[in-house]
Amino acid sequence: MKLTTAQALFRWLLAQRSETLDGAEVPLFPGVFAIFGHGNVLGLGTALEEHRGTVLHDASTGKSVSALPVWRGHTEQGMALAAVGLAKATHRRQVGVATSSIGPGALNMVTAAGVAHANRLPVLLLPGDTFTSRAPDPVLQQIEPFGDATATVNDAFRAVSRYFDRITRPEQLISTLPQVTRVLTDPADCGPVVLALPQDVQAETYDFPDALFAPVTHRPPRPRPDRRSVTEAAGVLRASHRPLLVLGGGVRYSGAARRALDFAGRHGIPVVETTAGRTLVPHDHPLHAGPLGVTGSSSANVLAAAADVVLAVGTRLQDFTTASWTVFSPDVRLVSLNAARFDAVKHGALSVTGDADAGLTDLAAQLESWRVDPAWTSRASAERASWDAYIDTLRSSAAEVPSYAQVVGVVNDLSAADDYVMTASGGLPGELIGGWRGSGSVSMDVEYGFSCMGYELSGAWGAAIAWPGLVTTLLGDGSYLMLNSELFSAAFAGHPFVAVVCDNDGYAVIARLQEGQGGKPFNNFYADCTTSHASPPRVDFARHAESLGCLVFEASTVDSLRAAYANARKAAVAERRPAVVVVKTQPSAWTEAGAWWEVGVPEHLAGRDEYERVKPGQVRYLKS
């Protein structure tokens, strides 16, 4: 089959299928986000246009849909982040694709690759590249490294790629494409794949074998852990008196939430969640102690400090989850069940490498009827009741200006069972993680692996494409200003979601960190920034969002926020575009989980005293 490199690549994408957690078959690559430039418009762009009229029958809706829709982005970073958000919303069972021109267009996607890499999410990035012939060198946007003639800006992707290849001959696709799907669908190696595509090679032809384009359905493997490691882990649990079960994102991607709760219930083990595992457990479940860590809850942190054994499932235990490794007792024994051995062996854990669902099944079989002392089991609901009372107090505040906790409460109260809620950087992750009360059905995406400002709006666009219910994203004014162009992309394409923009006049959470450690207010709130104006300008977020094609609702109190958010939900769905709710919020009211986070504190600042007090208790390595 004589095809250009670009034609072959997209014909292959169309042949790849995926199996969802409920057994349905869907396209592995449901669409492409694209901004065309001189490095991709003729090769990749022409090949994509050829599929413009190709349709598939969607069995779930009974409608015909585009086989490979192309959505135009308005920043390369934003559209690539949308592809990441799509992957998260499909629980890694579908993969967004993003293509850019060479040079700055390609480099703009590096941040999105970092987000995908840190969060173990699949995305396929197709940046254009310079000519392999080098005949017209130096071409527009070519950087020409002085010491390496083979390097281009796309080599910047190597540090944030799970798999990187530069296609210099068309036939190289035959060997690299199986590796592409291996990485994108593997539970252990999952992450971003980058295929750098020189623009002359995109247009070159080759007689590709027909078999390359035969339909393939990818079913992520469920590797069972080694029996000896399961036996050893079961022995550690049987000897424990106060075990704690920590559920991470791997439990979500495995579809193992029910298995985990059955396991906890059978043995009476309290359960806590990480950031990526949030909403896996119904809030009112009797074994639910809450979210763990700095942005979690005091209830989960109290149990973590008292636990003698921690069974961590599907989590890499990053610093916000572990309070920089001060949330656990130094004498705790850690058992880590993870599909990635890279994560399972961290911190001296007894590693059990395998799928979360399969691993918990095997572990339960060895524990048989063993149960924990009921006094320890009952502490989960008792501690969580104290945390709930604290959140109730925050939500019922009579302050004139709403707090983040009250904003989260309004969204929580008005959300439907099939909703999807998300945020990323700044102060809102702590509010959403710690304050949300889920039913076990609403899904949550808090991008706190890379904490990327701007993901909130771009990721919401991608999630809205994939998620069947309504997506709501919460963000601060700083994140809105950082990256808002994909609001127009979503409005133009007709993908509805609700964005709640909390305006507290600056980078409030960083000001909190700065001043809380004894630093002077500087360059975070606008009042402390350099300006030549006596009355500096302020952004009118409502008018700005409206100019990008969004529906806009404004609020200034909790009651008006409730009405605005309810109306925004209806309007977004009815008019098929984003609805933006703008609300002024308090700049210094926070939900406090009572955990420590290590940051570099200079010796002359007041916060250094606490640093010196807490740092010696930091767990550096656990003996399993």
Side-chain angles (χ1 to χ4, degrees):
M1 190 178 295
K2 189 174 184 178
L3 300 167
T4 68
T5 303
Q7 287 175 319
L9 175 60
F10 291 124
R11 186 178 290 266
W12 175 83
L13 290 181
L14 281 166
Q16 309 307 303
R17 309 288 291 172
S18 176
E19 186 177 85
T20 65
L21 287 172
D22 59 7
E25 190 175 290
V26 295
L28 178 62
F29 302 101
V32 178
F33 298 90
I35 295 177
F36 293 139
H38 74 89
N40 67 342
V41 66
L42 294 176
L44 294 174
T46 300
L48 279 170
E49 193 279 331
E50 292 172 357
H51 295 289
R52 192 172 190 174
T54 307
V55 296
L56 294 173
H57 179 73
D58 188 337
S60 62
T61 63
K63 299 179 181 179
S64 293
V65 296
S66 176
L68 196 63
V70 176
W71 301 296
R72 178 179 141 165
H74 291 87
T75 60
E76 290 87 358
Q77 178 181 332
M79 70 177 187
L81 287 174
V84 176
L86 184 152
K88 182 64 178 287
T90 62
H91 298 165
R92 303 199 306 196
R93 297 307 171 107
Q94 289 186 288
V95 181
V97 183
T99 179
S100 75
S101 63
I102 66 176
L107 281 178
N108 282 347
M109 298 197 296
V110 172
T111 297
V115 171
H117 196 288
N119 290 280
R120 316 292 205 256
L121 293 171
V123 64
L124 176 59
L125 302 180
L126 306 175
D129 213 328
T130 53
F131 291 86
T132 56
S133 70
R134 303 184 188 174
D137 285 8
V139 298
L140 181 67
Q141 300 178 330
Q142 183 175 354
I143 58 169
E144 289 191 289
F146 285 12
D148 186 351
T150 68
T152 74
V153 297
N154 287 337
D155 289 277
F157 283 104
R158 292 182 184 273
V160 286
S161 301
R162 285 299 175 91
Y163 184 80
F164 177 93
D165 197 0
R166 178 176 282 111
I167 304 302
T168 57
R169 291 184 59 84
E171 60 266 36
Q172 290 173 352
L173 286 181
I174 298 171
S175 61
T176 205
L177 291 178
Q179 300 300 329
V180 169
T181 50
R182 172 189 64 82
V183 174
L184 294 175
T185 63
D186 189 274
D189 293 341
C190 188
V193 170
V194 177
L195 294 183
L197 297 161
Q199 56 178 310
D200 51 347
V201 177
Q202 291 177 37
E204 290 179 8
T205 57
Y206 180 77
D207 289 328
F208 288 93
D210 293 354
L212 181 65
F213 310 112
V216 177
T217 299
H218 300 274
R219 299 175 177 86
R222 292 189 178 277
R224 304 201 84 90
D226 176 76
R227 289 183 180 180
R228 291 169 296 182
S229 66
V230 173
T231 300
E232 191 174 355
V236 170
L237 282 168
R238 276 200 207 92
S240 70
H241 300 286
R242 299 176 304 281
L244 184 67
L245 179 60
V246 180
L247 304 185
V251 176
R252 185 185 305 279
Y253 304 136
S254 173
R258 179 173 295 180
R259 180 79 63 191
L261 289 179
D262 287 347
F263 178 89
R266 179 177 177 180
H267 304 297
I269 305 175
V271 184
V272 300
E273 299 162 309
T274 71
T275 298
R278 196 66 174 94
T279 71
L280 287 172
V281 185
H283 178 75
D284 292 331
H285 193 285
L287 291 172
H288 186 216
L292 182 65
V294 179
T295 52
S297 60
S298 60
S299 53
N301 294 340
V302 166
L303 262 70
D308 59 355
V309 169
V310 169
L311 173 58
V313 184
T315 172
R316 61 196 183 106
L317 293 174
Q318 58 114 270
D319 66 337
F320 261 75
T321 298
T322 64
S324 297
W325 286 95
T326 63
V327 77
F328 301 124
S329 164
D331 297 323
V332 73
R333 299 192 71 183
L334 177 62
V335 179
S336 183
L337 168 58
N338 203 297
R341 186 167 175 78
F342 178 88
D343 292 315
V345 301
K346 288 177 178 176
H347 307 292
L350 193 168
S351 63
V352 183
T353 305
D355 172 72
D357 191 272
L360 287 171
T361 299
D362 292 351
L363 193 53
Q366 294 222 18
L367 290 172
E368 298 176 337
S369 60
W370 169 80
R371 283 189 64 84
V372 178
D373 184 339
W376 172 249
T377 302
S378 64
R379 284 194 62 181
S381 57
E383 294 291 349
R384 199 196 67 244
S386 298
W387 178 255
D388 288 348
Y390 168 63
I391 295 296
D392 287 340
T393 300
L394 297 180
R395 289 187 177 184
S396 61
S397 170
E400 184 176 340
V401 179
S403 67
Y404 274 172
Q406 289 175 310
V407 172
V408 169
V410 168
V411 174
N412 200 166
D413 290 344
L414 296 179
S415 291
D418 61 347
D419 274 11
Y420 191 85
V421 63
M422 57 190 298
T423 191
S425 58
L428 276 163
E431 306 298 322
L432 194 61
I433 296 167
W436 189 266
R437 295 171 178 173
S439 62
S441 53
V442 174
S443 270
M444 181 183 290
D445 174 10
V446 177
E447 197 291 283
Y448 227 39
F450 212 51
S451 186
C452 179
M453 294 182 73
Y455 175 79
E456 298 95 332
L457 293 174
S458 301
W461 177 29
I465 293 172
W467 190 258
L470 182 65
V471 174
T472 293
T473 184
L474 296 93
L475 67 155
D477 51 309
S479 284
Y480 183 97
L481 290 173
M482 190 76 70
L483 189 60
N484 51 59
S485 55
E486 294 346 297
L487 278 174
F488 177 68
S489 302
F492 181 86
H495 297 130
F497 61 85
V498 178
V500 180
V501 180
C502 300
D503 181 5
N504 55 21
D505 214 37
Y507 300 141
V509 76
I510 299 301
R512 172 198 185 193
L513 176 62
Q514 181 183 61
E515 297 172 46
Q517 298 295 330
K520 295 180 180 179
F522 177 58
N523 203 49
N524 287 310
F525 285 122
Y526 288 116
D528 306 312
C529 295
T530 302
T531 176
S532 61
H533 297 285
S535 298
R538 288 290 188 270
V539 178
D540 189 330
F541 293 100
R543 290 179 62 191
H544 184 269
E546 188 175 31
S547 74
L548 293 176
C550 299
L551 305 161
V552 174
F553 302 83
E554 296 186 76
S556 58
T557 65
V558 173
D559 288 341
S560 62
L561 173 62
R562 191 175 297 275
Y565 179 63
N567 291 331
R569 292 176 60 87
K570 297 174 185 176
V573 174
E575 300 204 26
R576 303 296 302 167
R577 51 187 171 137
V580 176
V581 178
V582 180
V583 55
K584 281 281 187 181
T585 51
Q586 295 181 40
S588 57
W590 307 99
T591 299
E592 301 282 0
W596 183 69
W597 183 43
E598 181 174 1
V599 292
V601 183
E603 290 188 4
H604 66 279
L605 294 185
R608 184 70 183 192
D609 290 341
E610 183 186 23
Y611 180 92
E612 298 286 358
R613 178 180 61 82
V614 180
K615 177 72 174 175
Q618 186 178 48
V619 177
R620 297 299 302 276
Y621 194 81
L622 298 169
K623 184 178 180 181
S624 62

